[in-house]
Amino acid sequence: MENNEKEKKEKTGWVAELISWVQVLVSAAVIAFVLTTFVIANSEIPTGSMENTIMAGSRVIGSRLHYKFSEPERGDVAIFVFGWQCPQCGAIIEGDKQDTCPACGSEVGKRGHTIYYVKRVIGMPGDVIDIVDDQVYLNGSDTPLDEPYIAEPMNQHETYHFEVPENCYFMMGDNRNYSLDARYWQNHYISRDKMVARVFFEYFPTPKVIH
């Protein structure tokens, strides 16, 4: 009789421990989901477009809450939705997902993968931006924008004129000579609802605060 009771206690103890571990794992998964969905955004920088602020291959964390309670500001390094990637041909398409890929014509449905970019906010809603002689000018100013964060002076010899619509932002990479940023997009402006998070911290490979 004593042996049977001992076996029952051991079995009950094992089941209780298993349930406890399951509860811990479920709780951890729920917390991680809430954090990544509502609090933080985790992003990898695949190219050198933000060097030397963020090097290629680095991973960064941004605050989703920052743009929930305040507006983007000029100079912010931001994570935003650029477009989506076709699961069939791999083409990256600007803007909202479509039922059919404009590159290959395949049916996409809900399978399109959202593409996030990391760039710096240069133009605010209502701004007029002129790029002349490899300098950025705002709102008709005779003095170019002070940009201590750029990797090196622009050497593109291009002239541009942009008028940022209300509720939109103009984004550029810090590595201007090697950044396929808003200057070259079909739609040059990112709407407010596409702004996901402000980047504050790089955690890989070198932990540091992002300015």
Side-chain angles (χ1 to χ4, degrees):
M1 179 69 77
E2 291 182 358
N3 288 337
N4 288 339
E5 291 181 357
K6 184 178 180 180
E7 288 178 0
K8 288 181 180 179
K9 288 181 179 180
E10 289 178 351
K11 185 175 181 180
T12 302
W14 179 83
V15 172
E17 184 175 355
L18 178 60
I19 292 174
S20 176
W21 275 106
V22 170
Q23 290 174 334
V24 169
L25 292 175
V26 170
S27 298
V30 170
I31 292 171
F33 174 79
V34 171
L35 285 174
T36 56
T37 303
F38 302 105
V39 181
I40 63 172
N42 179 7
S43 185
E44 181 180 4
I45 314 302
T47 71
S49 67
M50 283 298 293
E51 295 179 357
N52 293 324
T53 304
I54 308 172
M55 306 303 288
S58 298
R59 298 197 69 93
V60 298
I61 286 178
S63 169
R64 294 179 184 269
L65 292 179
H66 189 84
Y67 288 158
K68 293 292 185 183
F69 298 104
S70 61
E71 294 300 311
E73 298 180 359
R74 194 185 328 276
D76 284 1
V77 176
I79 300 172
F80 57 94
V81 176
F82 172 75
W84 56 282
Q85 186 172 30
C86 173
Q88 187 68 28
C89 68
I92 295 178
I93 313 298
E94 291 184 32
D96 295 328
K97 294 179 184 178
Q98 304 172 30
D99 292 332
T100 303
C101 173
C104 68
S106 64
E107 293 295 326
V108 176
K110 297 181 179 181
R111 296 178 298 131
H113 177 63
T114 301
I115 297 295
Y116 298 91
Y117 276 6
V118 175
K119 304 288 183 189
R120 191 179 294 273
V121 178
I122 301 299
M124 301 289 290
D127 275 350
V128 175
I129 300 173
D130 289 289
I131 301 177
V132 181
D133 295 330
D134 293 323
Q135 300 278 357
V136 177
Y137 296 86
L138 294 178
N139 303 317
S141 173
D142 294 329
T143 304
L145 182 66
D146 182 26
E147 299 188 280
Y149 41 75
I150 63 173
E152 61 185 10
M154 280 194 288
N155 189 28
Q156 302 296 293
H157 309 298
E158 300 166 328
T159 299
Y160 292 103
H161 177 82
F162 301 102
E163 298 182 11
V164 185
E166 291 300 322
N167 205 41
C168 291
Y169 299 86
F170 186 84
M171 317 294 293
M172 296 179 73
D174 289 357
N175 194 5
R176 296 288 164 77
N177 296 320
Y178 301 94
S179 177
L180 294 176
D181 51 39
R183 292 169 290 172
Y184 309 109
W185 302 339
Q186 290 181 335
N187 179 8
H188 302 294
Y189 314 106
I190 298 298
S191 60
R192 177 65 177 84
D193 63 314
K194 303 297 184 184
M195 301 290 282
V196 175
R198 180 181 175 184
V199 175
F200 283 106
F201 189 72
E202 175 185 321
Y203 67 90
F204 176 85
T206 305
K208 64 178 181 181
V209 177
I210 301 297
H211 299 288

